[in-house]
Amino acid sequence: MGRVEPSLLDSLTADPGLQRTAAEALERDGDRAPLALRKAGVDPALAAAALTLADLRRHARGKFGDLAERLYFTRAGLEQATRWPVARRRAARFAAAAHEVTDLCCGLGTEALAFAEAGLAVAAVDLSDATAAYARANAAATGLRVDVRVGDALEAPLAEAVFADPARRSGAGRRFDPADYSPPLDALLDRLAGARFAAVKLGPGIGHEWIPAGAEAEWVSVDRDVVEACLWLGDAAEVPRRASLLKAGEWHELTGSGEERAETGAVAEYLYEPDGAVIRAGLVAELARDLEAHTASERIAYLYGDRLTATPFARAWRVEEVWPLHPKKLKALLAERGIGRLTIKQRGTGLDPAALRRQLKLNGAGEATLVATRIGESHAALLCSEV
């Protein structure tokens, strides 16, 4: 079950004791938890709802930390919900520019909670009565003031600042074409064209062709996982492109035009793999300049430099050897060096790392990283050690 029906949601919000009992039963009894609740005299439908909530809260800890234990979720809503540190950071940017915000397509209302926590007056709008009920429950659970309304994002009145998170899921799964979002992204951007300060959250795979002229496009990663993109519109647009990385609880930003191209050259002593947010934002050239590095192929986002420079925006390896990308030769070379534990990375070769691993039949005590990539127009294998 991925959703608690509204009538049962009301019953759950009114019974914190049942919520605790369900969470304890799920932790203690696992698959037998429903039987434990039924033996305790809990109505089967309500027991199922309480256990669904407990399971969703358990999965939500990675996004919301301890706050997850107070919130109400649906499975689809949790999948689309913004990670709490990301939502709080965005809310701070809004609070520095406005006093009130309209949160369109508010879903479970978690982004609205971050806005309210930042001191903004929040009107949260969702098309679904059932989903709006979750947003109200979450506002009540946290004690934050959010005015939740049912309405169409394309017609709802707008405050001086606007945030939108169009639905990217349907009964058939994720929607990868922005024209299939709910509401469609092009219609939503038309609606926000006159907004003074606005932002639209999108999936990280959004194509650059969807970025309006004059907008800022930001990609966000959390501990190397690219989690979302965001279009900043109107006065909110500060730079053409931004990569924002949260690592070990600290934020780092790289900005630029997104149109520069890094210089190309030979493989050097160190290989850098830029964070996915840097790559998606088109800021590899800006990072290359900071690292005094270059690419070995204009189409591949690996960087090479003769000096090791610490950076939050890339992982680094020392290049030990450069070999032809030929499985039989690689097998012999790795065997000679006694390498039995091998991390295989590839970019630009079409190689299947799992298939290559089977061909190599590794056996040894050594450990290394093998990077399959392009040098100019040729394929190559780089034996590396991470630094």
Side-chain angles (χ1 to χ4, degrees):
M1 181 186 296
R3 174 188 287 273
V4 176
E5 293 304 316
S7 59
L8 296 176
L9 179 62
D10 290 340
S11 299
L12 280 179
T13 57
D15 195 344
L18 175 58
Q19 295 178 36
R20 289 191 295 272
T21 298
E24 292 167 359
L26 188 63
E27 190 71 26
R28 182 185 63 245
D29 302 319
D31 292 341
R32 296 181 62 82
L35 179 60
L37 290 187
R38 286 198 295 271
K39 285 183 176 179
V42 181
D43 174 79
L46 187 56
L51 290 169
T52 294
L53 175 61
D55 182 56
L56 290 171
R57 283 176 169 173
R58 186 166 59 179
H59 284 89
R61 290 171 192 159
K63 282 190 173 183
F64 293 95
D66 293 341
L67 181 62
E69 302 306 318
R70 299 160 60 191
L71 300 180
Y72 297 87
F73 300 101
T74 65
R75 200 165 304 279
L78 175 57
E79 288 179 1
Q80 182 156 327
T82 303
R83 286 161 174 75
W84 188 238
V86 179
R88 296 180 81 178
R89 175 174 172 272
R90 181 158 41 227
R93 187 166 170 180
F94 268 80
H99 299 289
E100 57 181 3
V101 60
T102 302
D103 180 2
L104 300 175
C105 318
C106 72
L108 303 179
T110 54
E111 199 101 29
L113 300 181
F115 289 134
E117 182 189 66
L120 289 152
V122 187
V125 180
D126 199 273
L127 190 61
S128 164
D129 286 296
T131 302
Y134 279 85
R136 293 190 187 97
N138 285 328
T142 56
L144 292 166
R145 189 168 183 175
V146 178
D147 177 14
V148 181
R149 309 169 184 175
V150 176
D152 188 331
L154 300 180
E155 298 177 358
L158 303 180
E160 59 174 328
V162 186
F163 173 73
D165 185 4
R168 296 182 294 281
R169 294 196 65 87
S170 66
R174 293 183 182 179
R175 296 166 169 166
F176 295 102
D177 185 348
D180 293 333
Y181 288 0
S182 180
L185 180 55
D186 48 0
L188 185 59
L189 291 175
D190 286 344
R191 177 76 172 94
L192 300 179
R196 181 183 72 80
F197 191 99
V200 181
K201 176 187 167 185
L202 304 168
I206 187 72
H208 284 223
E209 68 274 11
W210 283 93
I211 303 172
E216 173 186 325
E218 176 189 31
W219 276 262
V220 180
S221 75
V222 177
D223 294 327
R224 298 178 179 168
D225 180 19
V226 185
V227 297
E228 67 171 64
C230 185
L231 296 181
W232 295 87
L233 310 170
D235 291 348
E238 298 176 350
V239 293
R241 301 287 183 271
R242 187 189 307 267
S244 300
L245 284 59
L246 179 61
K247 290 190 174 181
E250 184 177 355
W251 283 101
H252 307 272
E253 293 185 0
L254 182 67
T255 61
S257 68
E259 297 180 354
E260 295 185 41
R261 293 293 176 266
E263 294 183 0
T264 58
V267 172
E269 186 172 356
Y270 296 99
L271 179 153
Y272 295 93
E273 180 183 29
D275 186 276
V278 174
I279 296 172
R280 289 179 185 266
L283 297 175
V284 172
E286 284 81 352
L287 179 59
R289 185 171 57 245
D290 292 346
L291 298 176
E292 297 182 6
H294 55 266
T295 65
S297 172
E298 62 181 15
R299 297 194 297 272
I300 308 298
Y302 287 135
L303 296 174
Y304 303 87
D306 290 320
R307 188 180 69 176
L308 179 62
T309 303
T311 175
F313 299 107
R315 297 171 67 186
W317 287 264
R318 182 189 298 274
V319 179
E320 307 289 352
E321 300 188 62
V322 181
W323 298 331
L325 186 56
H326 190 289
K328 288 185 178 180
K329 292 180 180 179
L330 290 176
K331 180 180 177 181
L333 290 166
L334 292 167
E336 287 176 8
R337 289 152 183 78
I339 294 172
R341 296 187 303 278
L342 188 68
T343 299
I344 302 175
K345 303 175 69 64
Q346 86 83 27
R347 183 164 289 162
T349 68
L351 177 146
D352 180 352
L356 176 60
R357 186 183 304 281
R358 289 192 296 269
Q359 290 178 281
L360 295 177
K361 299 179 181 178
L362 300 169
N363 183 22
E367 183 174 358
T369 297
L370 187 74
V371 178
T373 186
R374 285 178 176 268
I375 300 175
E377 296 301 317
S378 302
H379 291 177
L382 280 56
L383 187 68
C384 303
S385 56
E386 188 163 10
V387 296

